[in-house]
Amino acid sequence: MGRMMREGRGVVAFLTRRRGGGKIDVADILTYLCLLVGVLAMFGPVLWLVLSSFKTPASLTSFPPTLLPMQPVTMEVAGYPEPLRLVDVTFPDGTTRRLAQVRRVGIEVTMVDPTDPAGEIVLNINEVGRRPVEQVYFDTANYSGGVQSFAFFRYLRNSVVVTVVATLITLLINSMAAFGLSKYRFRGRDAFFLIILSTLMVPISVIMIPAFLVISKVGWVNSLWGVIIPGAATPTGVFLLRQYMLTIPDETLESARIDGASEWRIYWQIVLPLAGPALAVLAIFSIMWRWNDFLWPLIVLSHSELFTLPIGLNAFQGALNTQWNYILAMTVLTLLPITVVFAILQRYITTGIATTGLK
Amino acid sequence: MESVGRILSRPAAWLGDALDLLLGPLQRLVGTRRMGYFFILPNMLVFGIFILLPMLLNFAYGFTSGSSILLHNREYTGLRNFELLLECDLSFLNPGSGNFFNPNVCQYDRFWRAVNNTTVFVVFQVGIMVLFALVTALALNRKISGRGFFRSVYFYPVLLSPVVVALIWKWILQPQGVLNGLLTGWGVEPQPFLTAPDWARLWVIFVSVWAQMGFHTLILLAGLQAIPAEMYEAAAIDGGGLWQRFRRITLPLLMPTLMVVLVLSLIRAVQVFDQVFVLTSGGPGTATLYMVQFIFQTAFDQQNYGLAAAASLLLAAALLILTLFQLRLGRTSEIA
């Protein structure tokens, strides 16, 4: 964030500065223009969602939509029990007055001047221009109404449990396997590695039916374990960690053995810390996979108290009679946690992925 | 990050000690060398039960019929499921039946519809996405300020759940949505973006490019930055133009990365499911019905596990061919 602040110091300075000094040329301007259009395309839809989620149901259905959430301005006028809507009325002679609308019958509309509430003014709507006065208003009713039927915190808890537990288990068993495959010589080692590698391209979508049978035999249908465990033995993770551990010299392990360290201690206290960068990358990937996982949880979970955020949101949007205003607000709630995490850790995440995508 | 590590280090040390106490006797029992088996055991167990076993069971489903998911209640029917999938329903309506490359053939058949749709989706989605990602990466690789900011913004949609992505776009594209609002403002008729087959196909491709492009941009950018600057300096001395530099230096040196990106996105595109499931649910009609949704619905909505398993075996075969193709391409690009 600090970096962005510094960059935002002055728009002109920002736009004309370049790495390594030198003047800005046409190609640079074109580059920035394209990049900014890209930013609008990538982030605009999210921004539109957030703005829309604060609109009242009435303003959501108005077409064409307004950019900001708007609400009609009303005013208490002496002598009238209900607050009245303010309207800018343009008269045939070109003058404009801000009046409060009392009622409308057919083409006759009855107005009153809020500053002089004594006399009512009757106008023909065909003879005057009328524009309702509106103000920017962020309505939070969509959020308070939405959470009545969208158990956000329960889904969030389930998502966090699945993501954290699954990532820890993935890191543990993948790194153990990678350690075993890279630092020991035993019969069948290469065969094991090849079998794991061969499933690198076998996605859950190909084996969902028998995998569901296995899960139901184990008794994990409608259990978070059924979501967590099957995906934990990732071939990607084993491969990534094994390649990394191969670069750790065997002499390091040998000298620890001479000092009397057990094999477990060598793994836990020497190899794991040395494999830190690779573990971090696998952790990022695992968190991304698990947090956004959809097809497999959709198959395993059917009790709503076990839903993760994506499954809960899908059920919520698919439910009959669910209004767009609630869907929008709950979609914003769903994207909030990952957005906050990304805002804090974006540097680690983007560089982490960039460094391994190549391997 | 370091502070998190420090907080975690103490319980981690305790856990390590506790397990060491348990595993010491095991090591004395089996010997140092065989501890390798112990280390791969947990992963192999999970892998064997939840990946390898299902892979084998898939054949058992593919060659049997019946509505029960329990294998002993199912009846062996040989290649019947595959025949059912591959034959065209209502083929008598189609004069050119038998020629599967004719897009008008089997248009009433859900399986062939899904195969057709998936093929078109894969070609366009991967093509457009890799092109966009490459152009973005090239732009970000120039000497510009704010690169970190741009990189993060482009990457952000990758982190969003497919359900969220689909809902964002469903809201924008709905008949009364902002896009139609803009069109009306410019005097263009509102369009049925998600209810007309061609529009729906187009938007499904666009939305998935939007959601996944950032990931591939990131990888391509890393590949571009790995190209040593001296290469370009040498080219500048030789007086090569922008296009020449791209063709002679950037493209060949980026090729391995480009291959990785291409294969990753191909394999992902073949499995397209979740965004589309929420955005159009395969509609209108079967306009955006893809393979994985066909398998999912055949299995879990219609309880026709045999047919679904047969379809997933065919999908697996397609993925296998793609993988082998990639290995071959990888070899030739190494030679070149």
Side-chain angles (χ1 to χ4, degrees):
Chain A
M1 286 313 264
R3 221 174 100 87
M4 274 178 62
M5 293 290 195
R6 258 181 284 129
E7 277 161 5
R9 209 166 23 194
V11 182
V12 181
F14 168 75
L15 284 176
T16 51
R17 202 180 48 165
R18 53 180 294 196
R19 283 188 188 194
K23 273 258 165 120
I24 201 157
D25 59 14
V26 184
D28 284 329
I29 293 170
L30 270 177
T31 308
Y32 277 115
L33 219 59
C34 290
L35 287 174
L36 286 174
V37 169
V39 167
L40 197 69
M42 299 314 267
F43 205 69
V46 181
L47 201 66
W48 177 247
L49 171 82
V50 175
L51 285 175
S52 301
S53 74
F54 288 103
K55 288 181 175 175
T56 58
S59 93
L60 280 177
T61 48
S62 79
F63 184 81
T66 54
L67 179 66
L68 291 170
M70 299 298 231
Q71 203 193 32
V73 179
T74 58
M75 191 181 197
E76 298 272 1
V77 181
Y80 296 92
E82 299 281 313
L84 301 177
R85 281 185 171 205
L86 288 181
V87 180
D88 280 328
V89 178
T90 314
F91 290 92
D93 61 356
T95 55
T96 302
R97 283 173 73 189
R98 182 160 290 189
L99 299 174
Q101 180 169 326
V102 180
R103 77 185 78 87
R104 180 185 156 184
V105 180
I107 55 160
E108 255 182 18
V109 60
T110 309
M111 299 276 198
V112 63
D113 191 336
T115 53
D116 174 28
E120 289 186 346
I121 310 160
V122 179
L123 299 165
N124 183 328
I125 58 163
N126 294 327
E127 289 167 7
V128 293
R130 298 177 311 138
R131 207 168 57 81
V133 180
E134 292 192 316
Q135 64 181 1
V136 176
Y137 176 75
F138 286 83
D139 188 12
T140 51
N142 299 337
Y143 289 86
S144 47
V147 291
Q148 304 286 328
S149 48
F150 182 79
F152 173 70
F153 287 103
R154 186 188 299 150
Y155 301 154
L156 178 68
R157 188 201 74 106
N158 291 337
S159 267
V160 170
V161 167
V162 166
T163 306
V164 170
V165 175
T167 300
L168 288 177
I169 292 177
T170 302
L171 289 178
L172 180 72
I173 67 175
N174 284 6
S175 66
M176 280 175 70
F179 177 60
L181 291 171
S182 63
K183 295 298 171 198
Y184 292 90
R185 256 174 249 268
F186 52 85
R187 194 184 301 229
R189 182 189 70 170
D190 295 338
F192 281 126
F193 186 57
L194 265 181
I195 295 172
I196 292 178
L197 262 197
S198 67
T199 58
L200 206 58
M201 302 302 172
V202 177
I204 194 77
S205 48
V206 168
I207 55 167
M208 59 184 158
I209 300 147
F212 180 72
L213 171 79
V214 172
I215 287 291
S216 54
K217 286 279 180 195
V218 179
W220 278 348
V221 173
N222 276 312
S223 145
L224 290 183
W225 288 115
V227 178
I228 291 169
I229 298 296
T234 64
T236 325
V238 175
F239 181 67
L240 188 86
L241 290 168
R242 176 186 174 269
Q243 299 309 92
Y244 198 88
M245 285 179 186
L246 284 176
T247 63
I248 298 172
D250 288 346
E251 291 80 50
T252 324
L253 277 58
E254 228 21 82
S255 57
R257 277 193 193 111
I258 291 163
D259 290 344
S262 70
E263 296 306 301
W264 175 263
R265 207 168 269 286
I266 289 172
Y267 158 73
W268 194 260
Q269 286 186 343
I270 297 173
V271 174
L272 270 195
L274 285 176
L279 285 171
V281 167
L282 179 59
I284 293 169
F285 273 113
S286 169
I287 291 168
M288 272 170 53
W289 292 329
R290 296 314 190 120
W291 187 263
N292 292 333
D293 201 6
F294 183 69
L295 178 59
W296 184 241
L298 188 68
I299 294 171
V300 175
L301 306 173
S302 58
H303 292 175
S304 66
E305 64 267 29
L306 293 170
F307 282 174
T308 56
L309 272 173
I311 307 299
L313 187 62
N314 178 52
F316 183 72
Q317 69 96 23
L320 290 171
N321 303 325
T322 309
Q323 305 295 316
W324 259 117
N325 57 331
Y326 294 140
I327 296 175
L328 295 173
M330 296 306 102
T331 308
V332 173
L333 276 190
T334 305
L335 66 77
L336 209 57
I338 198 81
T339 308
V340 171
V341 171
F342 183 58
I344 299 168
L345 298 177
Q346 43 131 335
R347 173 130 294 193
Y348 297 98
I349 294 171
T350 46
T351 46
I353 288 172
T355 45
T356 39
L358 300 173
K359 300 275 161 64
Chain B
M1 290 299 259
E2 281 86 43
S3 59
V4 177
R6 228 174 295 136
I7 294 163
L8 287 177
S9 69
R10 186 163 299 168
W14 288 336
L15 188 64
D17 289 347
L19 282 164
D20 193 35
L21 230 56
L22 283 172
L23 295 170
L26 179 75
Q27 190 185 329
R28 278 192 292 280
L29 195 73
V30 302
T32 306
R33 280 226 351 237
R34 291 209 197 89
M35 280 301 278
Y37 287 114
F38 162 76
F39 279 108
I40 68 165
L41 184 69
N43 196 75
M44 286 321 276
L45 268 181
V46 174
F47 177 80
I49 295 172
F50 296 104
I51 297 177
L52 213 56
L53 179 66
M55 270 171 69
L56 299 175
L57 284 178
N58 228 358
F59 287 94
Y61 280 100
F63 290 95
T64 54
S65 290
S67 60
S68 171
I69 195 169
L70 300 171
L71 282 167
H72 55 81
N73 291 342
R74 301 176 60 81
E75 189 193 341
Y76 176 78
T77 49
L79 291 170
R80 182 80 193 112
N81 286 322
F82 294 90
E83 282 168 15
L84 273 174
L85 277 181
L86 297 177
E87 80 182 5
C88 275
D89 279 356
L90 301 170
S91 52
F92 56 89
L93 288 178
N94 297 298
S97 68
N99 176 10
F100 295 120
F101 293 102
N102 178 354
N104 293 323
V105 165
C106 311
Q107 55 182 319
Y108 303 100
D109 185 310
R110 282 173 65 81
F111 174 76
W112 281 107
R113 202 64 255 161
V115 170
N116 225 318
N117 287 345
T118 310
T119 314
V120 172
F121 176 87
V122 167
V123 169
F124 284 96
Q125 197 261 356
V126 171
I128 295 171
M129 182 173 69
V130 172
L131 190 71
F132 272 36
L134 182 62
V135 170
T136 315
L138 285 170
L140 287 176
N141 195 40
R142 292 172 58 85
K143 290 177 179 163
I144 55 165
S145 21
R147 180 186 292 154
F149 164 76
F150 286 121
R151 201 171 57 174
S152 293
V153 169
Y154 286 96
F155 185 73
Y156 176 65
V158 176
L159 291 171
L160 297 179
S161 154
V163 183
V164 169
V165 169
L167 288 176
I168 287 175
W169 285 97
K170 206 173 175 177
W171 173 239
I172 291 174
L173 298 172
Q174 59 142 342
Q176 304 274 297
V178 63
L179 202 61
N180 272 326
L182 288 174
L183 284 183
T184 316
W186 294 327
V188 183
E189 285 281 291
Q191 298 291 318
F193 288 126
L194 293 175
T195 44
D198 287 337
W199 273 123
R201 282 195 201 106
L202 184 103
W203 282 110
V204 159
I205 291 171
F206 176 83
V207 170
S208 84
V209 168
W210 183 83
Q212 292 164 19
M213 198 189 89
F215 180 81
H216 303 285
T217 305
L218 212 60
I219 295 178
L220 286 174
L221 180 61
L224 284 173
Q225 297 194 323
I227 299 174
E230 297 90 67
M231 305 287 271
Y232 292 108
E233 281 156 20
I237 293 165
D238 294 345
L242 204 65
W243 171 246
Q244 283 290 319
R245 265 187 314 198
F246 176 74
R247 264 227 51 198
R248 294 288 155 86
I249 303 173
T250 312
L251 206 54
L253 288 175
L254 192 64
M255 218 20 134
T257 319
L258 208 55
M259 270 347 279
V260 171
V261 164
L262 208 61
V263 170
L264 284 180
S265 48
L266 266 178
I267 288 168
R268 248 192 103 175
V270 174
Q271 301 168 54
V272 53
F273 172 71
D274 21 22
Q275 278 150 22
V276 186
F277 188 66
V278 180
L279 191 64
T280 63
S281 347
T286 51
T288 56
L289 174 76
Y290 300 108
M291 275 302 281
V292 173
Q293 192 185 333
F294 174 82
I295 298 172
F296 176 79
Q297 286 179 334
T298 309
F300 296 106
D301 291 350
Q302 304 167 12
Q303 265 74 44
N304 197 339
Y305 300 110
L307 206 61
S312 53
L313 284 172
L314 293 176
L315 179 64
L319 285 170
L320 189 71
I321 292 168
L322 277 180
T323 314
L324 292 177
F325 184 63
Q326 176 249 335
L327 287 177
R328 243 200 107 101
L329 267 184
R331 269 226 316 274
T332 42
S333 77
E334 260 166 44
I335 295 163

